């Protein structure tokens, strides 16, 4: 005698056991990913120290080594060299583009200047890699046959434009995130610079001390201050070191600090008082940005309140009353 099979429970036509199995698999994968991330986590200080040592060796090579030896000290990357040769043979590599890409890489926290060639190469290759298949799918197949010619052309053109702008958008995103982190820690750094200046430390020693103190809390700002301290110790013109700091960050607040440093170096004005005024201004600016975000919060919460919170509130409040009215009407019949 065969036992009848019991059908699995369903909700809205979906098998509950299947959904539970998939959710369990996703949860197990998330746990494994978290364990792998925790085990393979690397200390960011190792990468920072290596970058600073590389910059120190470059400055040493530029000062003490001859031209031939300096050329030997520069590490070459075969892949970037091949890409550079290819772009130069195609007459699409310009010095202005390379310098602009190198500046964006520095502002994004990528110290290797060789990646500038890869950025330019990505602008050339990505439209072909992504736009070519999209062009074939739209006009070579019937996938978008029901679309109007204008919509199909817009899809293809948008894919080409987005593929061309993808490297710049990626760099811009990294630059904005890094600038926000640097701006967040700048008032604290200026306060520490004031303390160091009043304690009698030199400017390069003050930058090194602040970078060491804030390296854990604000690693991006610590990197920039460490590089500035190294350049102040090696470069003959101290103004160049400050200008390099402004160029690497591209922040108005950092430019104000750089201008103050240059003026104090040139005219001998008190550094501590000027930095104290700048620190107070930056703290007020940060407070104003926080107040601005708080003022926008009611307008931002309006849509989630209407779509998600109020319907649930109405169900909780009016649901029992509706059930009571329904029971009363059924009992009356």
């Amino acid at each position: 005698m065969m036992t009848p099979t019991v059908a699995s429970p369903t909700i809205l036509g979906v098998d509950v056991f299947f959904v539970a199995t998939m959710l369990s698999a996703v949860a197990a994968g998330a746990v494994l990913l978290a364990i792998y991330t925790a085990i393979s986590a690397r200390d960011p200080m190792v990468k920072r120290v290596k970058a600073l040592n590389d910059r120190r060796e470059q400055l040493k090579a530029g000062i003490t080594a001859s031209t031939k030896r300096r050329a030997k000290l520069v590490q070459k990357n075969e892949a970037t060299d091949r890409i550079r040769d290819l772009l130069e043979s195609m007459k699409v590599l310009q010095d202005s583009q390379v310098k602009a890409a190198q500046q964006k890489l520095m502002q994004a926290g990528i110290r290797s200047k060789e990646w500038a060639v890869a950025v330019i190469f990505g602008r050339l290759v990505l439209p072909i890699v992504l736009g070519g298949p999209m062009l074939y799918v739209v006009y070579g197949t019937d996938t978008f046959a029901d679309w109007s010619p204008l919509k199909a052309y817009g899809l293809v053109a948008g894919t080409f434009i987005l593929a061309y702008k993808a490297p710049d958008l990626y760099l811009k995103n990294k630059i904005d995130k890094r600038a926000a982190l640097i701006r967040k820690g700048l008032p604290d750094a200026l306060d520490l610079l004031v303390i160091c200046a009043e304690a009698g430390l030199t400017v390069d020693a003050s930058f090194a001390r602040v970078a060491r103190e804030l390296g854990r809390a604000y690693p991006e700002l610590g990197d920039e201050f460490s590089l500035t301290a190294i350049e102040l110790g090696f470069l003959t013109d101290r103004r160049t070191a400050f200008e390099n700091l402004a160029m690497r960050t591209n922040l108005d607040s950092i430019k104000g600090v750089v201008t103050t440093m240059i003026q104090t170096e040139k005219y001998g004005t008190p550094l501590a008082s000027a930095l104290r005024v700048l620190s107070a201004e930056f703290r007020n600016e940060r407070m104003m940005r926080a107040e601005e975000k708080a003022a926008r919060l009611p307008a931002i919460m309006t849509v989630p309140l209407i779509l998600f919170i109020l319907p649930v509130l109405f169900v909780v409040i009016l649901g029992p009353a509706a059930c009571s009215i329904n029971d009363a009407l059924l009992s009356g019949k």
Side-chain angles (χ1 to χ4, degrees):
M1 184 175 181
M2 298 178 61
T3 59
T5 58
V6 180
S8 301
T10 59
I11 298 177
L12 298 177
V14 180
D15 191 353
V16 176
F17 290 160
F18 176 75
V19 174
T21 304
M22 295 301 296
L23 292 177
S24 301
V26 172
V31 171
L32 293 177
L33 180 61
I35 295 174
Y36 173 76
T37 304
I39 294 175
S40 62
R42 297 181 179 179
D43 188 3
M45 292 296 295
V46 177
K47 186 177 180 182
R48 290 180 53 206
V49 172
K50 183 178 181 300
L52 295 176
N53 290 331
D54 292 341
R55 179 57 178 167
R56 186 181 289 109
E57 293 299 327
Q58 290 175 6
L59 291 173
K60 285 182 180 179
I63 294 175
T64 60
S66 61
T67 305
K68 294 182 180 179
R69 186 181 177 188
R70 192 184 314 169
K72 293 180 181 179
L73 289 173
V74 178
Q75 296 180 353
K76 295 295 184 181
N77 192 333
E78 295 182 359
T80 54
D81 288 342
R82 292 177 182 176
I83 294 174
R84 184 187 295 273
D85 295 337
L86 177 62
L87 294 178
E88 289 178 352
S89 63
M90 298 174 63
K91 305 296 182 182
V92 296
L93 189 63
Q94 300 178 0
D95 293 337
S96 59
Q97 291 181 347
V98 174
K99 291 180 180 179
Q102 289 177 352
Q103 185 174 356
K104 289 183 178 179
L105 288 172
M106 285 190 296
Q107 294 173 1
I110 302 173
R111 304 301 179 190
S112 179
K113 295 182 178 180
E114 297 296 329
W115 284 102
V117 182
V119 172
I120 300 174
F121 184 72
R123 296 174 187 167
L124 179 65
V125 172
L126 286 179
I128 300 175
V129 174
L130 299 179
M134 182 58 68
L135 182 66
Y136 172 75
V137 170
V138 172
Y139 292 106
T141 62
D142 296 333
T143 305
F144 300 96
D146 55 340
W147 282 29
S148 64
L150 183 61
K151 291 175 63 177
Y153 174 77
L155 179 60
V156 174
T159 304
F160 274 100
I161 294 173
L162 184 62
Y164 177 77
K165 291 291 185 180
D168 295 329
L169 292 176
Y170 173 75
L171 288 179
K172 187 177 183 304
N173 186 30
K174 288 184 69 67
I175 290 170
D176 292 341
K177 289 182 178 179
R178 193 166 184 271
L181 294 174
I182 292 175
R183 189 187 298 112
K184 183 179 179 181
L186 187 58
D188 298 334
L190 291 182
D191 290 338
L192 290 178
L193 280 177
V194 171
I195 296 173
C196 293
E198 291 178 345
L201 294 179
T202 59
V203 177
D204 50 349
S206 300
F207 272 90
R209 180 70 180 184
V210 173
R212 187 164 62 251
E213 294 294 333
L214 294 181
R216 293 287 183 181
Y218 306 104
E220 293 79 12
L221 186 59
D223 287 342
E224 297 301 334
F225 275 30
S226 297
L227 288 174
T228 304
I230 293 172
E231 291 180 348
L232 286 172
F234 281 96
L235 296 179
T236 56
D237 188 7
R238 299 170 68 87
R239 181 186 182 123
T240 305
F242 293 126
E243 290 177 351
N244 289 340
L245 174 61
M247 183 181 63
R248 290 194 304 266
T249 54
N250 194 24
L251 282 173
D252 293 336
S253 54
I254 293 290
K255 291 179 181 178
V257 175
V258 167
T259 303
T260 303
M261 290 292 181
I262 294 175
Q263 289 178 353
T264 55
E265 290 280 339
K266 184 176 181 180
Y267 300 108
T269 56
L271 178 61
S273 59
L275 291 178
R276 188 179 290 108
V277 173
L278 283 176
S279 177
E281 290 180 359
F282 293 154
R283 288 188 183 279
N284 292 332
E285 182 182 355
R286 186 166 65 178
M287 184 61 67
M288 290 176 61
R289 286 198 301 268
E291 292 176 353
E292 182 182 355
K293 290 182 179 180
R296 291 203 308 263
L297 188 60
I300 296 174
M301 288 295 296
T302 301
V303 175
L305 180 66
I306 295 175
L307 294 179
F308 302 107
I309 299 177
L310 289 181
V312 176
L313 186 63
F314 290 154
V315 169
V316 171
I317 296 176
L318 300 179
C323 293
S324 300
I325 294 173
N326 188 24
D327 294 338
L329 291 176
L330 292 177
S331 61
K333 292 180 179 180

